[in-house]
Amino acid sequence: MISCEKAEIICNKSQYQEASFTERLQLKFHLFICKNCCKYSEKNSKLTSLCDKAKLQGLSSKEKEQMKQKLHSKG
Amino acid sequence: MPEIKYKVPKVNHMRSVNVNSRNFGDHETNMAENSLQPENWVDAYADYLFNYAISRISDAEIAKDLVQETFLAGLKSAKNYKGDAAERTWLIAILKRKVIDHYRKSNSKKGKAEVKINYSAQTDAEGDWLEEQIADPFSNFEHDDLENEELGNAIQSCIAKLPAKQAQVFTMKTIQGISTEDICNELDINPSNLWVMIHRARTALMGCLNETWF
C-alpha cells in the first residue's frame, strides 16, 4: 500500500509516460480506494491535455543565454 | 462671482511617491508602480513573447529574432517608458509592431504581394467546388485557434508566477520535452528532486488555471 504523496508523484510521472509497470499498478490500486487522489489524477490529466492543446513552445536555455548576451553587449 | 480656485492635490502622484518610498527605499527610481528591469526580461518574458510571435509567424527562427529585436528595442527606448502599463504589456506592444513590420517588409518584396489563387483557376475541377471555398459555418477551427492562444497565454502567466527553479524544470520537462536524465544532468539535481519540483509546479498550475480552464 502506497501513501497519497507517493501516488501523486507516480501520477505525475505517468503524465510523462515515465512510470514503471509496478508503479502504474500501485497507482491504479491506490486510485481505486482513494477518492482524493482520483480527483487529483483527473485534474492532472486535464492539465496535460491543456498543455498539449495550447501547443506551447519555449526557447531552450541555450537560446535564452544567447539572448542575454546580445542584450548585455548592446545595453 | 469671484472664481474660487482650488488647489487640487495630485492624489495619484502622492500615492506613487509613497509606494516608491515604501517599496524601494533608497533605490533610485522615478517610476511609479511599474518599472523596467531589463536584466530579468529574458527569463521572465522570453517564452511568453516567443509564443505570441509564433502564433502569428509560424517560423520559429523568425519568431526568435523578433523577440530578440523586441528586447533590444525595449532597451533602447526604455527612457520613454512611462510606467502606466506593466512591463510585459509594454514589451508585447513593441513585439506587435515588430510582427507588423515583418509582414510589411516581406510583402513589399517584389512579386511576393501577388495573391495567387490556383484552385478556382483549375478548369478541370468538377463538381460543386465553389461550395468548398466558402467558410464552413459549422467549423470550430478558427474559434479553437483563438481559444488555444488564450489558453497558452494563461498557462504562460501561471508559469511566470511559479518559483524560478520550478518554472524552469516544468518548462524543460513539459514544453521542451527534455528527458528526465538530461534535465538532472544539466541542473545537477537527482530524479526524485525533479519529480517533487514537477509535483509542486503542477499542483500550483492546477490551482492557478483552476477558475477559468478546469
Side-chain angles (χ1 to χ4, degrees):
Chain A
M1 187 54 215
I2 54 172
S3 67
C4 285
E5 210 166 295
K6 197 162 176 224
E8 285 177 1
I9 295 279
I10 297 175
C11 178
N12 283 318
K13 280 189 192 174
S14 69
Q15 296 303 324
Y16 299 97
Q17 274 82 42
E18 285 183 35
S20 67
F21 181 69
T22 9
E23 280 179 328
R24 267 181 293 159
L25 218 61
Q26 283 173 321
L27 177 66
K28 270 264 157 65
F29 185 66
H30 185 92
L31 290 185
F32 198 62
I33 52 170
C34 180
K35 227 179 188 176
N36 274 335
C37 287
C38 233
K39 222 182 244 170
Y40 181 84
S41 168
E42 228 169 69
K43 277 178 118 185
N44 213 349
S45 315
K46 177 87 189 191
L47 179 64
T48 305
S49 70
L50 282 179
C51 285
D52 287 345
K53 206 173 137 200
K55 292 190 201 82
L56 288 175
Q57 305 200 40
L59 295 162
S60 69
S61 33
K62 212 190 237 169
E63 287 171 319
K64 283 188 190 169
E65 223 27 69
Q66 284 173 352
M67 275 192 177
K68 274 186 205 170
Q69 276 167 9
K70 272 187 204 165
L71 263 183
H72 267 289
S73 60
K74 294 272 168 69
Chain B
M1 212 174 136
E3 207 175 298
I4 304 164
K5 277 185 184 167
Y6 291 103
K7 227 184 181 180
V8 183
K10 288 180 181 171
V11 180
N12 274 331
H13 179 69
M14 296 292 280
R15 199 185 58 204
S16 70
V17 168
N18 281 340
V19 168
N20 259 344
S21 58
R22 195 172 59 232
N23 284 354
F24 303 107
D26 48 4
H27 278 283
E28 215 185 279
T29 169
N30 47 7
M31 304 299 175
E33 279 92 355
N34 298 305
S35 62
L36 295 179
Q37 284 150 339
E39 64 274 13
N40 298 334
W41 280 356
V42 177
D43 285 325
Y45 307 120
D47 281 334
Y48 184 79
L49 295 178
F50 183 66
N51 271 291
Y52 180 93
I54 207 148
S55 62
R56 283 156 181 81
I57 294 170
S58 36
D59 188 317
E61 269 308 306
I62 296 174
K64 201 180 95 186
D65 287 345
L66 288 183
V67 173
Q68 177 82 65
E69 280 175 34
T70 303
F71 285 143
L72 290 175
L75 206 58
K76 212 187 258 175
S77 54
K79 49 187 177 302
N80 298 335
Y81 178 70
K82 291 187 204 77
D84 43 31
E87 212 177 11
R88 195 177 74 179
T89 319
W90 187 68
L91 286 171
I92 279 285
I94 299 176
L95 179 59
K96 211 178 265 177
R97 297 301 321 171
K98 293 278 173 205
V99 171
I100 294 170
D101 284 350
H102 165 78
Y103 277 116
R104 206 168 271 167
K105 228 183 273 170
S106 64
N107 253 353
S108 69
K109 285 177 192 152
K110 244 189 175 175
K112 287 265 174 72
E114 280 175 39
V115 180
K116 290 173 184 160
I117 302 171
N118 287 327
Y119 193 52
S120 55
Q122 282 172 358
T123 43
D124 56 351
E126 281 178 39
D128 298 328
W129 50 267
L130 198 60
E131 265 180 14
E132 293 165 28
Q133 292 199 355
I134 54 171
D136 179 2
F138 302 110
S139 162
N140 271 328
F141 289 129
E142 305 84 359
H143 184 244
D144 269 5
D145 270 355
L146 271 182
E147 196 178 295
N148 285 347
E149 198 192 323
E150 224 171 273
L151 173 64
N153 288 343
I155 295 177
Q156 287 289 356
S157 30
C158 282
I159 291 176
K161 281 182 204 155
L162 295 173
K165 196 87 184 193
Q166 280 176 30
Q168 191 185 13
V169 172
F170 183 80
T171 17
M172 283 171 99
K173 189 88 194 118
T174 315
I175 300 174
Q176 292 164 24
I178 304 173
S179 76
T180 310
E181 208 186 339
D182 289 345
I183 298 177
C184 288
N185 285 337
E186 203 175 317
L187 300 179
D188 202 18
I189 53 176
N190 59 14
S192 57
N193 238 329
L194 176 135
W195 287 114
V196 168
M197 271 195 261
I198 292 274
H199 175 59
R200 288 192 186 140
R202 289 189 81 96
T203 314
L205 283 181
M206 284 177 214
C208 179
L209 292 170
N210 205 2
E211 296 99 45
T212 355
W213 296 97
F214 276 96

